[in-house]
């Protein structure tokens, strides 16, 4: 059985600090942050818990070993020396994938073949057999080489963690669920405040906000490849799922609004919200962005508008962003958050951002423009009258 494990939560570039904060909030404090990944040590229950709860990580990997390798012999011998039989059962299906960046060993297919052979040799000695059927549970191994450092991991997630299970149709230029959750988390939105997405598309940002507001674990209703691993007790998975139900705040009332000019995409958004179980928390309606309004004095506008890669010409982008600036100005006490790849966004929008954060939406480099509105006044505390009677 697995006991203490070293795990790596992978992430999009720019979201490492967000993922690290999520990991710490789950109670794991031995956290190391690097480009594209967050490494931490925990007991085996962290595998189901992090897979179910992490909103912004791409996947969770079990780290087997890390070492320097500049020759194929070195890669083979050091991989073979790792304790594979302590992790892989005899009938494990263990495909190998790989990647190499700025390393002497740049041929990924060769690295994959060598790691596969080394794992087989290691297990052959332990299990005293020359043949592995590989008809059991899947343990997908990755060999990642970065500047001649090889990191060997096993994927515990299966399909990426953005696959929540509620999005059956995503339209053009989709925003990953993990990125949408990150936009909401980075805004520091509070569930007692109104949130509006005037470019809601298939509803990803409003749905992720609703899951956050209700404290619903994003992975509570999906399966993970490591659920079939015999070295993680079923009881550990049962307890992790029970925790997701115990901590959900189904009774909380949220005010989340999603609008879009496309009637058909609004229907898709409603269907996705229903699949996610949050349809009662989000008001979707067809509306042109120029017509947005609210009676609420304080709120959050969070959106992923079309940008250069998604509109046909630059003039169209410029016109849209100028209209956004005029429309958002009507809600001048609200905070606004916009993700776009257009480096001239502030100029067209007509306002300088309070803060900018560099992110990657898929392979596209983007900026997250944050325009902070005024803080709402704190509610006055009631002061008990002074009794002057003696």
């Amino acid at each position: 059985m697995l006991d203490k494990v070293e795990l790596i939560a992978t992430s999009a570039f720019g979201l490492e600090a967000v993922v690290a904060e999520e990991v710490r909030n789950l109670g794991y404090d031995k956290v190391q942050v690097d480009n594209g990944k967050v490494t931490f040590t925990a007991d085996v229950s962290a595998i189901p818990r992090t897979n179910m709860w992490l909103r912004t990580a791409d996947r969770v990997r079990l780290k087997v070993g890390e070492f320097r390798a500049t020759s194929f012999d070195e890669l083979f011998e050091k991989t073979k020396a790792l304790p594979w039989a302590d992790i892989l059962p005899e009938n494990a299906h263990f495909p190998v994938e790989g990647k190499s960046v700025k390393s002497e060993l740049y041929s990924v297919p060769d690295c994959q073949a060598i790691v596969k052979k080394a794992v087989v040799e290691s297990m052959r000695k332990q299990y005293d057999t020359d043949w592995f059927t590989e008809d059991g549970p899947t343990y997908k191994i990755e060999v990642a080489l970065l500047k001649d450092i090889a990191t060997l991991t096993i994927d515990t997630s299966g399909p990426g963690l953005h696959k929540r299970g509620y999005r059956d149709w995503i339209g053009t230029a989709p925003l990953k669920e993990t990125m949408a959750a990150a936009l909401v988390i980075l805004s520091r939105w509070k569930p007692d405040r109104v949130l509006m997405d005037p470019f809601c598309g298939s509803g990803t940002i409003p749905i992720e906000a609703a899951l956050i507001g209700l404290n619903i674990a994003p992975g509570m209703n999906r399966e993970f490849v490591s659920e079939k691993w015999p070295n993680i007790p079923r009881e550990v998975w049962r307890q992790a799922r029970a925790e997701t139900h115990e901590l959900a705040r189904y009774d909380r009332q949220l005010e989340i609004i999603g609008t879009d000019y496309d009637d058909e995409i609004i229907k898709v958004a409603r269907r996705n919200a229903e699949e996610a179980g949050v349809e009662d928390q989000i008001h979707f309606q067809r509306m042109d962005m120029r017509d947005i309004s609210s009676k609420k004095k304080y709120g959050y506008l969070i959106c992923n508008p079309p940008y250069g890669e998604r509109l046909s010409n630059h003039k169209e982008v410029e016109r849209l962003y100028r209209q956004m600036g005029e429309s958002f100005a009507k809600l001048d006490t609200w905070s606004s958050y916009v993700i776009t790849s257009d480096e001239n966004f502030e100029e067209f929008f007509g306002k300088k951002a309070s803060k900018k954060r560099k992110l990657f939406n898929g392979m596209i480099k983007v900026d997250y423009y944050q325009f902070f509105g005024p803080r709402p006044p704190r509610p006055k505390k009631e002061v008990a009258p002074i009794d002057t009677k003696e």
Side-chain angles (χ1 to χ4, degrees):
M1 290 295 171
L2 295 171
D3 186 15
K4 284 289 180 183
V5 292
E6 191 171 5
L7 299 176
I8 297 174
T10 62
S11 79
F13 288 109
L15 294 185
E16 297 91 347
V18 183
V19 173
E21 183 181 14
E22 285 198 87
V23 170
R24 291 188 188 100
N25 287 342
L26 287 171
Y28 309 115
D29 53 5
K30 296 178 181 177
V31 176
Q32 179 184 333
V33 182
D34 296 299
N35 287 336
K37 65 181 183 180
V38 175
T39 306
F40 58 103
T41 304
D43 62 36
V44 72
S45 67
I47 292 177
R49 291 188 72 236
T50 52
N51 272 297
M52 288 182 200
W53 280 104
L54 291 181
R55 300 180 189 278
T56 60
D58 290 336
R59 58 182 62 248
V60 178
R61 295 185 177 279
L62 172 64
K63 184 176 175 181
V64 183
E66 188 171 89
F67 49 80
R68 182 175 176 81
T70 55
S71 70
F72 289 134
D73 283 345
E74 199 172 14
L75 178 63
F76 178 83
E77 292 299 334
K78 289 182 178 180
T79 299
K80 180 183 171 184
L82 294 173
W84 294 104
D86 292 348
I87 303 168
L88 308 184
E90 188 174 349
N91 67 339
H93 172 52
F94 53 103
V96 179
E97 57 185 23
K99 58 186 179 183
S100 178
V101 179
K102 298 178 181 177
S103 296
E104 288 286 323
L105 303 179
Y106 57 84
S107 172
V108 172
D110 286 337
C111 291
Q112 291 174 182
I114 285 163
V115 166
K116 179 78 175 186
K117 184 178 178 182
V119 174
V120 168
E121 284 298 314
S122 175
M123 291 177 62
R124 180 180 290 166
K125 183 177 180 181
Q126 187 71 23
Y127 287 114
D128 192 25
T129 182
D130 290 326
W131 178 253
F132 295 98
T133 59
E134 292 202 50
D135 57 1
T138 298
Y139 292 73
K140 185 184 283 186
I141 298 168
E142 182 189 72
V143 50
L145 285 145
L146 175 62
K147 296 180 180 178
D148 297 326
I149 301 299
T151 305
L152 278 296
T153 60
I154 300 173
D155 175 36
T156 73
S157 302
L161 296 183
H162 71 282
K163 299 273 190 183
R164 318 285 208 223
Y166 64 74
R167 219 161 57 160
D168 61 345
W169 188 84
I170 55 179
T172 58
L175 187 71
K176 271 189 177 182
E177 294 89 330
T178 43
M179 179 61 75
L183 299 186
V184 176
I185 290 170
L186 286 169
S187 77
R188 301 298 177 188
W189 169 71
K190 298 292 188 291
D192 60 351
R193 300 273 291 279
V194 61
L195 183 152
M196 181 187 298
D197 177 1
F199 297 93
C200 73
S202 55
T204 312
I205 291 175
I207 291 169
E208 289 298 319
L211 294 174
I212 290 168
L214 299 178
N215 201 37
I216 294 174
M220 71 186 297
N221 292 319
R222 58 159 282 184
E223 294 181 347
F224 303 94
V225 69
S226 50
E227 283 189 72
K228 294 185 171 65
W229 292 4
N231 39 7
I232 304 179
R234 287 181 179 271
E235 179 61 16
V236 173
W237 285 97
R238 192 199 66 75
Q239 289 173 356
R241 288 202 191 280
E243 181 187 41
T244 66
H245 291 282
E246 289 164 7
L247 297 180
R249 294 286 303 276
Y250 298 113
D251 58 339
R252 184 181 274 167
Q253 285 301 307
L254 308 175
E255 191 170 357
I256 299 173
I257 302 158
T259 67
D260 202 285
Y261 69 90
D262 187 336
D263 218 8
E264 288 304 308
I265 201 71
I266 286 294
K267 291 177 184 176
V268 171
R270 289 194 183 112
R271 194 161 69 240
N272 288 342
E274 189 175 350
E275 282 293 320
V278 294
E279 69 274 18
D280 294 338
Q281 301 289 349
I282 308 171
H283 174 67
F284 286 111
Q285 73 176 89
R286 182 188 177 280
M287 183 186 292
D288 191 292
M289 174 273 301
R290 292 170 292 187
D291 298 326
I292 62 170
S293 63
S294 177
K295 293 178 182 178
K296 292 293 177 74
K297 188 168 184 181
Y298 301 100
Y300 287 65
L301 284 161
I302 304 177
C303 61
N304 172 39
Y307 35 89
E309 289 76 9
R310 298 158 61 192
L311 288 177
S312 57
N313 61 67
H314 191 71
K315 288 293 182 185
E316 194 178 350
V317 174
E318 181 179 339
R319 183 171 63 251
L320 173 66
Y321 293 166
R322 291 191 189 281
Q323 290 171 347
M324 283 175 63
E326 294 167 7
S327 186
F328 286 23
K330 294 183 291 185
L331 299 172
D332 60 347
T333 52
W334 284 40
S335 294
S336 302
Y337 299 83
V338 182
I339 184 173
T340 175
S341 65
D342 197 306
E343 295 179 357
N344 298 313
F345 175 75
E346 290 166 303
E347 178 189 340
F348 302 145
F349 189 71
K351 189 177 180 180
K352 188 165 180 60
S354 310
K355 188 177 181 182
K356 271 197 316 185
R357 190 182 188 110
K358 283 183 168 47
L359 301 172
F360 277 84
N361 183 15
M363 298 302 292
I364 303 170
K365 178 183 166 296
V366 295
D367 282 297
Y368 191 35
Y369 293 89
Q370 303 167 61
F371 303 88
F372 304 148
R375 289 173 180 261
R378 291 184 177 181
K380 292 181 180 178
K381 292 182 178 179
E382 291 187 13
V383 180
I386 298 173
D387 190 353
T388 57
K389 294 178 182 180
E390 293 186 1

